[in-house]
Amino acid sequence: MLHTSYIELDGAALNRNIAFLRSLVPDGTSFSMVVKANAYGHGIESLLPLIEDCGVNHFSVFSVAEAMRVQRTMGANSDLMILGFVDDDHLSWAIERDVSFFVFTLERLRAAIAAARDLGRPARIHVELETGMHRTGFCEDQLPEVVELLQNDAAVLEVEGLCTHYAGAEDLQSVDRIEEQIATFRRLCGELRDQGIEPRYRHTACSGALFNYPDSIMDLVRIGIASYGFWPNQETRSAFLRQHGLREDPLERILTWKSKILSVNHVPEGAYVSYGKTYLTTRPSRIATVPVGYGYGFGRDLSNNGHVLVGGQRAPVVGTVNMNMLVIDVTEIEGVEVHDEVVLIGRQGDQVMTVSSFSDMNNSMNYELLTRLPDHIPRIATTPAVVGAGAGLTTDGAGPRP
Ligand SMILES: *Cc1c(COP(=O)(O)O)cnc(C)c1O
């Protein structure tokens, strides 16, 4: 094994997640899979072919840099949308490649019009409306000016969408805030329609909104975390399962993170382990090292706190997590040897290490823990999304599909 750890991707689980999520939206509603932040840590190059094998061909990213990566990997029939950052000097990159992007300031709208004119090709834009999150989006008092630009420059604009984003649709404390946003969005869309602006897609729903506010599902949904098999938070999971009378969780994690034991040592009672003095043995112990540390996304906050799976059992992390290594106590796990498989996230035997059980951190940290998984850990598709489709087993995780 060349690298110190590997991330395996289960295409079949991805396919089941997407089928389940699609069953929650009407047939005519498009599904955009959000693959920002390196596909939530799963790895754009390895995951994208699996997503396409599931029949999804619309992707959303945050920035042009991410869009460039997706564009190099995605199939010719797939569509790409940038939700966030496009600097003026890259507007023409997006326009030339038919990549659509959110517009939420007059500056960007004017720059897009100018770039589209220069190129002699329309810019595909999604006009983001401010509805109550107070982050990005055109405020109501800007709309007359927006409409004027859209009408005057209709020849170089393809207004493909009207959209907004919710201020925490997974948080059931915010019900009144989100419901007001939905109502405001519908009202503003109506007013724009009266002025002749009626794009193909009105879209607002992220994972939390999809589960908690079916009303937010319009012509397209932008789904991130749930496609990867994680609930946006525990509250949304419980509410959804209860409401639909489900016993089994319909979402499955698609990622497994594995490494190997690097060394096993005996340590006497009363000795400090690893840097500093944070862990003192209270008995003769067997201590093993795993070549994964905070430089690989295994946070220092898991020092004396996290667990990993080895020999089908949970082993506690002892001492501080180093940059390249962590130390575990395997005194109670029989027969642990160098080269044994270690599971950092995923299943081993009957034990499962979920991202959230990395530590006692709450489930809403899924997003952060996943996106901290660094780019340099190889991602490997171990199960094809659909039997007979795609590459199945790719070993370098970067090459094109055969
Ligand atoms: C990240 C993001 C999403 C997806 O959110 P999930 O909670 O992961 O489904 C949707 N829309 C926008 C604008 C986003 O930035």
Side-chain angles (χ1 to χ4, degrees):
M1 158 162 157
L2 175 63
H3 292 269
T4 69
S5 69
Y6 286 84
I7 289 172
E8 295 176 353
L9 303 171
D10 182 345
L14 172 70
N15 201 7
R16 290 189 289 269
N17 290 340
I18 289 174
F20 163 68
L21 294 165
R22 278 201 151 143
S23 76
L24 302 178
V25 303
D27 279 347
T29 296
S30 299
F31 189 97
S32 183
M33 182 146 167
V34 181
V35 293
K36 61 191 180 190
N38 198 23
Y40 289 52
H42 290 66
I44 281 180
E45 287 76 12
S46 308
L47 194 67
L48 234 63
L50 297 180
I51 304 172
E52 289 181 337
D53 286 343
C54 298
V56 172
N57 55 12
H58 196 292
F59 300 106
S60 295
V61 293
F62 182 75
S63 66
V64 171
E66 291 173 345
M68 287 177 171
R69 264 179 87 175
V70 171
Q71 232 249 335
R72 276 196 295 271
T73 312
M74 73 184 198
N77 296 325
S78 287
D79 212 345
L80 178 55
M81 175 165 81
I82 303 174
L83 312 172
F85 185 70
V86 190
D87 220 349
D88 289 354
D89 50 0
H90 282 97
L91 281 167
S92 47
W93 179 87
I95 296 167
E96 274 180 317
R97 283 158 191 79
D98 229 14
V99 172
S100 68
F101 51 91
F102 278 29
V103 170
F104 41 76
T105 61
L106 287 164
E107 291 79 4
R108 186 181 291 177
L109 181 53
R110 292 199 187 95
I113 291 167
R117 279 238 169 79
D118 282 352
L119 290 166
R121 219 190 135 96
R124 287 170 64 199
I125 62 169
H126 295 256
V127 176
E128 186 182 3
L129 303 177
E130 167 54 48
T131 57
M133 181 163 184
H134 304 300
R135 191 178 68 175
T136 46
F138 287 109
C139 300
E140 193 165 355
D141 61 3
Q142 294 178 297
L143 292 182
E145 205 168 337
V146 172
V147 170
E148 200 183 311
L149 286 168
L150 298 185
Q151 285 168 343
N152 290 346
D153 299 282
V156 291
L157 291 175
E158 187 184 333
V159 185
E160 192 175 86
L162 288 175
C163 52
T164 198
H165 190 53
Y166 297 113
E170 69 285 352
D171 173 12
L172 298 176
Q173 308 295 317
S174 309
V175 172
D176 45 351
R177 191 171 173 198
I178 305 302
E179 282 178 345
E180 198 173 319
Q181 282 193 271
I182 299 175
T184 303
F185 184 74
R186 289 193 183 279
R187 178 175 60 77
L188 294 176
C189 284
E191 286 171 16
L192 290 168
R193 186 182 50 228
D194 292 344
Q195 298 176 70
I197 295 171
E198 200 175 3
R200 173 167 172 208
Y201 298 122
R202 289 161 310 141
H203 54 102
T204 69
C206 57
S207 300
L210 176 74
F211 295 125
N212 294 324
Y213 303 92
D215 252 15
S216 71
I217 302 168
M218 300 180 193
D219 309 309
L220 176 143
V221 292
R222 309 182 302 257
I223 306 300
I225 198 85
S227 344
Y228 303 95
F230 298 97
W231 294 85
N233 64 3
Q234 202 50 45
E235 203 184 357
T236 296
R237 176 180 185 276
S238 316
F240 187 89
L241 295 188
R242 187 163 359 98
Q243 199 183 339
H244 292 79
L246 296 172
R247 291 255 162 103
E248 295 224 348
D249 194 330
L251 294 179
E252 299 168 60
R253 191 192 48 257
I254 65 177
L255 158 156
T256 298
W257 187 18
K258 287 182 180 171
S259 182
K260 282 185 175 183
I261 297 284
L262 180 66
S263 67
V264 185
N265 275 346
H266 289 274
V267 179
E269 181 181 337
Y272 290 111
V273 173
S274 189
Y275 289 121
K277 293 187 168 180
T278 70
Y279 184 79
L280 182 70
T281 55
T282 57
R283 57 179 177 182
S285 302
R286 253 179 337 123
I287 296 297
T289 55
V290 182
V292 173
Y294 58 78
Y296 301 80
F298 199 95
R300 262 188 110 247
D301 46 5
L302 298 173
S303 300
N304 287 309
N305 188 15
H307 287 83
V308 301
L309 301 179
V310 59
Q313 295 184 55
R314 287 164 70 95
V317 173
V318 295
T320 52
V321 172
N322 307 168
M323 183 193 291
N324 307 105
M325 246 192 266
L326 57 91
V327 183
I328 55 176
D329 182 347
V330 294
T331 311
E332 306 206 339
I333 307 173
E334 223 155 284
V336 174
E337 288 178 25
V338 172
H339 299 318
D340 282 1
E341 178 192 87
V342 175
V343 171
L344 305 156
I345 299 173
R347 174 180 292 280
Q348 193 186 54
D350 338 319
Q351 292 286 326
V352 181
M353 193 61 57
T354 62
V355 173
S356 50
S357 73
F358 243 34
S359 75
D360 292 337
M361 283 185 257
N362 72 39
N363 219 34
S364 65
M365 299 301 286
N366 277 341
Y367 291 91
E368 187 182 344
L369 290 167
L370 288 169
T371 53
R372 266 201 249 158
L373 292 170
D375 233 359
H376 57 76
I377 302 176
R379 273 72 168 173
I380 306 164
T382 50
T383 320
V386 183
V387 178
L393 206 102
T394 57
T395 44
D396 61 5
R401 266 186 296 165

